Amino acid sequence: MTLEDILHNEELRNHEFPVTRDKIFLAHAGVCPLPRRVTAAMNEYIERAARDDQEEVFPAGRFRDARNALGRLLQAQPEEIAFVGPTSTRAQLCGQRTGFAQRRQHRDLSG
């Protein structure tokens, strides 16, 4: 399916974006009704996450695909893209990477 398919095939558009059956939607993709395939993927993940570890049930291939897409977008190598959990984990990793944690530890010990 391509953008051209969506733009020129009303039946396909209505199937993939159910909101278009009853409404005209004039906004941007950042804030919008979810397309059918997004809803289906989310429902599948939610069902699996309800029965197991939410991070373990996410298909590994999707991480690879997301790293590749983000790498192209950011002009980076896929292995440079990291997905991490809670904000505190990200802050800790960034602090360690920039040397902030070492400087802070040194300051705490000396003061």
Side-chain angles (χ1 to χ4, degrees):
M1 177 176 43
T2 66
L3 179 58
E4 288 297 315
D5 296 335
I6 292 290
L7 293 175
H8 294 100
N9 184 331
E10 186 174 1
E11 184 178 335
L12 176 63
R13 183 172 53 252
N14 288 339
H15 175 77
E16 293 294 328
F17 298 89
V19 69
T20 63
R21 289 188 185 127
D22 304 318
K23 300 176 181 175
I24 296 173
F25 184 74
L26 304 171
H28 58 83
V31 181
C32 69
L34 296 175
R36 179 178 304 281
R37 61 185 57 216
V38 171
T39 304
M42 290 172 67
N43 284 334
E44 177 188 339
Y45 169 76
I46 290 167
E47 285 297 321
R48 294 176 72 194
R51 294 187 298 274
D52 206 343
D53 182 327
Q54 64 181 343
E55 293 180 8
E56 295 296 322
V57 298
F58 195 81
R62 290 205 179 145
F63 280 119
R64 183 190 61 246
D65 295 344
R67 279 190 181 91
N68 288 332
L70 285 167
R72 287 190 305 273
L73 179 69
L74 300 172
Q75 299 180 349
Q77 296 301 310
E79 58 272 12
E80 294 177 292
I81 307 297
F83 296 110
V84 295
T87 303
S88 58
T89 302
R90 289 189 297 268
Q92 180 182 12
L93 289 172
C94 290
Q96 289 171 349
R97 181 80 176 141
T98 61
F100 178 77
Q102 291 85 359
R103 289 192 303 272
R104 181 182 169 98
Q105 182 180 22
H106 177 72
R107 186 174 49 239
D108 289 347
L109 293 174
S110 65

